[in-house]
Amino acid sequence: MYSDLLAAAIDRLNATKFLLIITGAGISAESGIPTFRGKDGLWQNYSAEELATPWAFERTPEIVWKWYDWRRGIIGNAEPNPGHIAIKNMESMFPNFFLMTQNVDGLHGRTGIKNMIEIHGNLWRVRCTSEGKTMMLMDVPLKTIPPRCDCGAILRPDVVWFGESIPTAWLEKSFKVMELCDTLIVAGTSGIVYPVASFPQTVKSNGGFVIEVNIEPTPISSLADISLYGKSGEILPMLQKGLKH
Ligand code: BJW
């Protein structure tokens, strides 16, 4: 179905020295996890834009916390899908490899992948709103919604909300790998949330090649060298199987 473009993408990957992959919510869709902007992304009539903000958490912490509980319920029952697994397999096939995911679901980590950052955080981790220290949710007594730190302050999900800055160390790492990579695969993201939305352009400006994988065109499509339209759980395994590395 995709034969010519798929073959061209595989040729490029076979000549690649440093592969960078960026993923978004679409990569986990085939694990049964709703995307943010898809029709299943709404929760009790709230949109992600309304809930994923520090202002929403300040105003109605119980509602935001319950949204995360609802998502953790779905994610806790989900498994990595063939897209996640193909990416994990690619890690061992390239001399240099890095994955940057915007997802907070932890599914990439569950494949055992090592060279990765979760640039928007992880919803299984929490952070003290007073002291800033982080801990795993499973280590916290869940007596109230939201739960509290030993110091008495409310705990929040250790994720990056709209209007918040991505931690400097993660941004620095992102810019470093964008300089080093010669090919970027960007899979399952709508390409509208900054700063990650600008990363494909950064890679292009650095002379890199961009392969997009998505079920539909996005703002990234116009700058991508190759766009492969279809499910990441189908296309990424096809790309990986074509590799000679
Ligand atoms: C499939 C598929 C299948 C489905 N196979 N594909 C510059 C310009 C304009 C605005 C800004 C800017 N700089 C900053 C902003 C503001 C803001 C922003 O970008 N707003 C836009 C909405 C315009 N950005 C920020 O606030 C960021 N902070 C920042 O830049 O700090 C500096 C600063 C601070 C203050 C002022 C100015 C600068 C932080 C952004 C944090 C985003 N956080 C969230 C929540 C994380 C926690 C949580 O999960 O609860 O991150 S929002 C949400 O969007 C989440 C995602 O990671 C992120 C991206 O979404 P993603 O992954 O792309 O999902 P979808 O649903 O949008 O798309 C799914 C895609 O998959 C679709 O394309 C489908 O077609 C596809 N798909 N099934 C393949 N099977």
Side-chain angles (χ1 to χ4, degrees), residues 24-27 29-30 35-38 49 52 67-68 71 102-104 120 159-166 188-195 213-216 218 230-233:
I27 187 103
E30 289 154 81
T35 60
F36 289 93
R37 292 163 189 87
E49 273 81 2
W67 179 51
Y68 281 92
R71 289 171 61 197
Q102 298 170 86
N103 299 346
V104 300
H120 290 163
V159 298
V160 181
W161 283 324
F162 286 117
E164 295 185 323
S165 299
I166 288 170
T189 180
S190 53
I192 59 172
V193 176
Y194 287 81
V213 178
N214 202 300
I215 50 170
E216 61 186 23
T218 72
K231 293 181 175 177
S232 49

